[in-house]
Amino acid sequence: QVQLAESGGGLVQAGGSLRLSCATSGRTFSNYDIGWFRQAPGKERELVAVIGWSGGNTYYADSAKGRFTISRDNIKNTVYLQMNSLKPEDTAVYYCAGGIRRVPLRRISGDYSYWGQGTQVTVSS
């Protein structure tokens, strides 16, 4: 099993930045692709970004392109999501999820086996 724990959420004004962290433990971290998802009240959970096991392969949802950056540190067993130019519509609970590495990267929440508990991000206007 892989355990994931998100941190770094909070309240920020529009235009501000946050960096989310996803710390993992358990099985070999470098065997896993890690995705960031978010879910706003009354909405479906949606993919934000995914990073492959080596860090060299990434995918971003259109809403994240140009503003968010996903990265990983395979020594610290942690994945990061740097979020810049935040907008009120980015308000959601953000989750990280893990799945055994593969190509192409997983884009559907149902394809991920392991999930964190989520961290709240609130962007005020």
Side-chain angles (χ1 to χ4, degrees):
Q1 287 229 351
V2 175
Q3 291 79 42
L4 303 100
E6 304 92 339
S7 62
L11 174 64
V12 64
Q13 289 188 332
S17 299
L18 283 174
R19 188 176 81 155
L20 305 183
S21 298
C22 174
T24 72
S25 61
R27 295 188 176 179
T28 305
F29 176 64
S30 60
N31 284 340
Y32 288 82
D33 301 331
I34 302 293
W36 281 100
F37 289 78
R38 67 186 184 186
Q39 188 165 19
K43 293 189 176 181
E44 297 280 326
R45 188 170 297 189
E46 63 176 3
L47 176 68
V48 177
V50 184
I51 189 164
W53 66 275
S54 70
N57 190 13
T58 59
Y59 171 82
Y60 293 90
D62 288 344
S63 60
K65 288 178 182 176
R67 299 189 300 129
F68 295 0
T69 303
I70 190 170
S71 62
R72 68 190 291 160
D73 184 332
N74 282 353
I75 294 176
K76 295 182 178 179
N77 291 352
T78 302
V79 170
Y80 304 97
L81 184 68
Q82 178 67 43
M83 305 188 295
N84 299 327
S85 302
L86 283 162
K87 306 174 182 179
E89 51 264 44
D90 293 317
T91 295
V93 177
Y94 283 70
Y95 299 89
C96 62
I100 290 288
R101 66 188 195 183
R102 74 168 202 193
V103 177
L105 295 174
R106 292 173 172 76
R107 302 182 184 182
I108 301 173
S109 61
D111 286 346
Y112 285 82
S113 301
Y114 305 102
W115 290 83
Q117 80 288 353
T119 186
Q120 176 70 47
V121 171
T122 303
V123 184
S124 63
S125 57

